Amino acid sequence: MAGIKAEPFTFPARPRELALIVIDMQRDFAEPGGFGASLGNDVSRIARIVPDVKRLIESFRAAGLPVIHTMECHRPDLSDLPLSKRNRGNPSLRIGDEGPMGRILISGEPGTAILPELAPADGEVVIEKPGKGAFYATELGDVLKKKGITQLVFAGVTTEVCVQTTMREANDRGYECLLAEEATESYFPEFKAAAIAMIRAQGAIVGWTADVDDILEAIAHA
Ligand code: C5J
């Protein structure tokens, strides 16, 4: 692989050290009645990226490269939910409350599940995370170390919250990070654009960004 065409310059991909990380493509963020909707967001924006996320997942699987999924969720007894998070804002339903898809953002509930089109395959790692960043209070760092992964391609939602937070955590831990632009979304288009701009500014200060087609092209030759 010669590298992946990206901004602000070519991503120096090393296929043996590369994994795809799909952040929080859960019903709770993408369907009416879930966490995203309870905060007053237009969740239809999220469903629109499903085909591009799926193309990325399929290409990594076809190349034999790891796909890792994350889910933002909490234990049923709420012991990993800080009160500051539960009480924040004025949502119509709080984390842990019973909603139309089960308890909001609680592990094992129907609404917390990953969208069926993007469901993890047998053997793929699924990280349940109580925070916005996927390294905080999870086994993600150990999983990546064991697999010899040093580079991460990012997809998922939302761009400026869980995706960007995890990219920043990964960048500080020495991972090289590439964001797939059409495979990430925000409830606020201007926040997606700003997150992409700030990630790749100053010579890729947090990481690189690339078109899904350019990532697929490179992975096909991995
Ligand atoms: C949010 C996330 N937006 N997965 N979570 O609360 O980005």
Side-chain angles (χ1 to χ4, degrees), residues 1 11 14-19 60 65-66 149 151 153 219:
M1 191 192 283
F11 182 76
R14 296 180 295 277
R16 277 196 204 96
E17 300 177 26
L18 189 66
F60 272 71
L65 301 179
I149 300 300
Q151 298 187 315
V153 173
I219 296 299

Side-chain angles (χ1 to χ4, degrees), residues 57-136:
I57 290 175
E58 286 171 352
S59 78
F60 272 71
R61 282 179 187 153
L65 301 179
V67 178
I68 294 166
H69 307 258
T70 72
M71 300 168 67
E72 182 175 349
C73 61
H74 296 274
R75 297 187 193 125
D77 65 2
L78 307 186
S79 58
D80 61 354
L81 174 62
L83 271 183
S84 60
K85 184 174 180 184
R86 176 160 161 85
N87 291 338
R88 187 79 47 85
N90 189 27
S92 55
L93 288 168
R94 292 190 184 276
I95 297 171
D97 288 351
E98 197 67 48
M101 297 191 288
R103 293 179 70 199
I104 297 284
L105 278 198
I106 297 299
S107 179
E109 296 288 330
T112 308
I114 291 172
L115 293 166
E117 306 94 306
L118 305 177
D122 284 348
E124 287 177 353
V125 172
V126 180
I127 303 283
E128 296 199 357
K129 63 183 183 63
K132 304 304 184 194
F135 286 84
Y136 167 68

Side-chain angles (χ1 to χ4, degrees), residues 196-215:
I196 286 173
M198 67 178 78
I199 282 165
R200 67 190 188 198
Q202 304 178 74
I205 198 153
V206 174
W208 288 252
T209 74
D211 291 347
V212 168
D213 280 343
D214 290 325
I215 299 172

Side-chain angles (χ1 to χ4, degrees), residues 23-24 29 35 39 72 129 132 157-158 161-163 187:
I23 304 285
D24 301 357
F29 294 106
F35 182 61
L39 298 170
E72 182 175 349
K129 63 183 183 63
K132 304 304 184 194
V157 296
T158 59
V161 184
C162 291
V163 174
Y187 299 120

